[in-house]
Amino acid sequence: MTDPYATLGVDRTADEAAIKRAYRKLAKELHPDRNADNPRAAERFKAVTAAYELLSDKEKRAAYDRGEIDADGNPRMPRGFDGFARGARPGGGFRPPPGDSAGFEADFGDILSELFGAARGGRAGPRAPARGADVAYRLAIPFVDAALARPQRITLRSGKTIDLKLPPGVEDGQQLRLAGQGEPGPAGPGDALVTLVIQPDSRFTRDGDDIRVDLSVPLATAVLGGQVRTPVPDGDVMLSIAPGTSSGKVMRLRGKGWTRRDGTRGDLLARVMVEVPVGDAALEKLFRDRQAAAG
């Protein structure tokens, strides 16, 4: 085996963190699961793993640096000189005495578990059965339905139809997960991931938990007062207009806005837009007379 420092591509002065980073990178590139048709990658994976096994053990690394063991962990002194050196065993290959290997096994297992999902402490065991794939959907929701958190019907790829309950306070682009409604798999089905797309409404605009609407009010009603039919998400309501109401005035209808997360609702804010009639001779004469009287 070549020098373990060279195998991992690190300097002899590298600290434990640098050695672990180097091994993590190489293990990810060379792992047999990613190189099934590349036997050379498998051999390199064994080499970098052996190098990491030696250098991640403080005692073995120190023994190697002092020249007491070689890159394979074998003692450099003649075989039989003083029995087997500490940790050596017939057939070659340095192995620590019982208890010394626990740190490496756990560390090695943690790295493989993070990179490949292997069982903790496992080296190259069989993969666990996989769940089925998740399936992504986009569901268009009318503005009013989203405001009121009304359930929506969705048909899945399997042909199954589900009544999807919208969460209060739903947001555009929010994703809902339907457990077990994805593709089948050996370890169970995946999930359905539904992205909610709230459609615009020509009448309404959302403003946080409130909803804004422009309210057309006839000139006569604005001057004399009266009632105007006003759209709200629940349907139309009659809104009282005080005499002398000007354009731009905002009137608040409490509890007629967007459904909040706690189930309560914001307000509807209606902005008065006074309609001035065109071609009304009597109205034009009235204002001309008033202008003339004013001087």
Side-chain angles (χ1 to χ4, degrees):
M1 177 177 170
T2 59
D3 177 49
Y5 292 102
T7 300
L8 293 179
V10 297
D11 295 331
R12 286 182 172 270
T13 57
D15 59 16
E16 293 180 13
I19 291 172
K20 179 179 285 190
R21 283 196 301 271
Y23 174 70
R24 187 191 303 270
K25 179 181 178 182
L26 291 170
K28 187 174 182 180
E29 294 175 357
L30 301 171
H31 195 277
D33 286 351
R34 295 188 174 184
N35 298 275
D37 300 325
N38 187 350
R40 292 188 62 187
E43 290 300 319
R44 286 197 62 201
F45 178 77
K46 292 178 183 178
V48 298
T49 299
Y52 180 69
E53 180 179 0
L54 190 149
L55 296 182
S56 64
D57 185 293
K58 292 182 179 179
E59 292 185 7
K60 286 192 285 186
R61 181 181 180 183
Y64 176 79
D65 289 344
R66 291 192 299 266
E68 296 173 3
I69 60 174
D70 62 18
D72 291 317
N74 296 318
R76 292 185 182 276
M77 64 185 66
R79 185 182 298 274
F81 175 76
D82 187 24
F84 293 112
R86 180 180 183 270
R89 61 188 179 113
F94 185 90
R95 292 293 182 271
D100 283 9
S101 63
F104 169 76
E105 294 292 343
D107 193 37
F108 178 76
D110 287 343
I111 292 175
L112 289 189
S113 178
E114 180 179 339
L115 294 179
F116 307 103
R120 180 178 177 84
R123 288 175 178 269
R127 284 185 172 181
R131 293 173 62 249
D134 294 337
V135 181
Y137 297 88
R138 289 175 63 85
L139 179 61
I141 304 174
F143 183 96
V144 168
D145 287 354
L148 301 177
R150 288 173 177 163
Q152 300 293 299
R153 180 159 293 185
I154 181 173
T155 301
L156 304 179
R157 185 181 298 177
S158 63
K160 183 178 181 180
T161 299
I162 292 179
D163 286 329
L164 182 65
K165 185 177 181 181
L166 296 184
V170 63
E171 299 287 344
D172 183 48
Q174 184 173 344
Q175 189 177 82
L176 303 183
R177 180 181 294 271
L178 304 181
Q181 299 299 331
E183 295 292 340
D191 301 334
L193 306 178
V194 183
T195 300
L196 307 179
V197 181
I198 299 175
Q199 303 295 95
D201 190 297
S202 60
R203 301 165 299 170
F204 303 119
T205 302
R206 183 178 179 182
D207 184 4
D209 293 331
D210 297 331
I211 295 176
R212 293 185 176 273
V213 62
D214 285 340
L215 181 62
S216 295
V217 177
L219 178 61
T221 304
V223 173
L224 303 175
Q227 289 191 323
V228 175
R229 187 177 299 276
T230 305
V232 297
D234 313 74
D236 293 346
V237 298
M238 298 304 295
L239 181 64
S240 295
I241 304 297
T245 297
S246 301
S247 275
K249 181 177 181 179
V250 176
M251 307 182 70
R252 183 181 296 270
L253 281 72
R254 298 193 179 277
K256 296 296 183 180
W258 201 269
T259 302
R260 301 187 180 101
R261 293 184 179 180
D262 61 3
T264 62
R265 289 176 61 182
D267 301 334
L268 183 129
L269 306 176
R271 182 176 64 171
V272 173
M273 307 292 288
V274 177
E275 297 178 344
V276 177
V278 177
D280 188 325
L283 182 62
E284 292 176 1
K285 181 176 183 305
L286 172 63
F287 279 101
R288 289 195 186 97
D289 292 343
R290 292 189 55 156
Q291 282 183 330

